[in-house]
Amino acid sequence: DAKTTQPNSMESNEEEPVHLPCNHSTISGTDYIHWYRQLPSQGPEYVIHGLTSNVNNRMASLAIAEDRKSSTLILHRATLRDAAVYYCILRDVSTGGFKTIFGAGTRLFVKA
Amino acid sequence: NAGVTQTPKFQVLKTGQSMTLQCAQDMNHEYMSWYRQDPGMGLRLIHYSVGAGITDQGEVPNGYNVSRSTTEDFPLRLLSAAPSQTSVYFCASSLSRGGYEQYFGPGTRLTVT
């Protein structure tokens, strides 16, 4: 199963954009890129996912490199409520995406 | 709908005891899975199921059993609890293919003394 690499932590100021990077150099053509976040003492929460094209939803944007070996989660205006651990994971459609591997994620600190 | 529910929220066991962690979803999802999360770590996959009657092992299956008799329920059984199984356990569900998001339950915090 392809793995992802993320920085351990990042810091942002409130109301500024945040760009969270993820490297996935061994990604296969059938891997979807998913992002989840986990607030303290809660289960992970889905943020966004994509395959090849950039994606936008009400929570965030996902920018995918042309070679798909990296991606960036963009929070357009960070709030204190966005302080969480963000996980970038790959789910393989061809195998059903069953063996989802979570790394340690990026802990995002947001300063007021 | 309630989404993914887990019971109990907290549990303390003595070494050697057995118990079952319950997980249920009301979204008619085919895929369900169990993860454990140790302090400061990411989630590790224990077991998963792709439908009623079908289960398979994840990364860390030793010491745990699962079964899937209905689409809705996916219990996790600890056969003989050990201190190394102290962790937070999360259940998740999704439609069967990797292009769909997973929905997670609120977790069960288990302490084994």
Side-chain angles (χ1 to χ4, degrees):
Chain A
D1 300 289
K3 297 282 173 55
T4 63
T5 305
Q6 300 176 253
N8 289 335
S9 64
M10 291 185 66
E11 198 172 82
S12 171
N13 293 319
E14 201 176 10
E15 307 215 349
E16 289 186 356
V18 181
H19 290 234
L20 297 166
C22 181
N23 286 320
H24 26 80
S25 57
T26 59
I27 192 170
S28 73
T30 51
D31 278 324
Y32 274 80
I33 302 160
H34 285 241
W35 283 81
Y36 289 78
R37 72 179 188 181
Q38 188 174 22
L39 280 64
S41 300
Q42 294 189 25
E45 171 190 31
Y46 167 79
V47 177
I48 200 166
H49 77 278
L51 184 61
T52 56
S53 303
N54 294 344
V55 184
N56 299 298
N57 67 20
R58 64 173 180 80
M59 288 182 73
S61 296
L62 175 60
I64 301 172
E66 200 168 327
D67 63 6
R68 300 213 322 129
K69 294 187 176 184
S70 65
S71 61
T72 302
L73 178 71
I74 303 165
L75 307 179
H76 296 288
R77 287 179 70 229
T79 70
L80 296 178
R81 290 173 56 189
D82 291 323
V85 178
Y86 287 80
Y87 297 99
C88 166
I89 63 171
L90 303 178
R91 298 190 75 192
D92 188 342
V93 174
S94 68
T95 61
F98 305 128
K99 289 198 172 183
T100 303
I101 306 293
F102 279 78
T106 296
R107 184 174 294 277
L108 177 65
F109 297 94
V110 181
K111 295 187 297 184
Chain B
N1 55 32
V4 179
T5 58
Q6 292 184 238
T7 56
K9 283 189 167 39
F10 301 93
Q11 182 70 48
V12 178
L13 289 178
K14 289 188 173 13
T15 298
Q17 287 184 318
S18 63
M19 78 158 294
T20 299
L21 278 62
Q22 301 291 345
C23 173
Q25 53 90 10
D26 59 359
M27 298 173 281
N28 203 31
H29 285 168
E30 295 156 300
Y31 171 54
M32 296 185 74
S33 56
W34 276 102
Y35 293 87
R36 61 176 287 173
Q37 186 173 35
D38 299 328
M41 307 282 288
L43 284 76
R44 290 186 292 170
L45 182 64
I46 304 172
H47 284 285
Y48 65 94
S49 168
V50 303
I54 307 169
T55 64
D56 205 348
Q57 297 180 349
E59 299 173 81
V60 288
N62 292 339
Y64 307 94
N65 269 2
V66 291
S67 60
R68 183 99 177 268
S69 55
T70 67
T71 300
E72 295 77 22
D73 300 299
F74 190 43
L76 178 73
R77 277 181 286 279
L78 279 70
L79 309 172
S80 176
S84 60
Q85 293 178 304
T86 293
S87 191
V88 181
Y89 291 84
F90 292 102
C91 178
S93 75
S94 74
L95 292 171
S96 64
R97 286 174 287 169
Y100 292 96
E101 63 264 37
Q102 284 184 277
Y103 294 82
F104 284 83
T108 293
R109 187 174 296 273
L110 175 69
T111 301
V112 183
T113 60

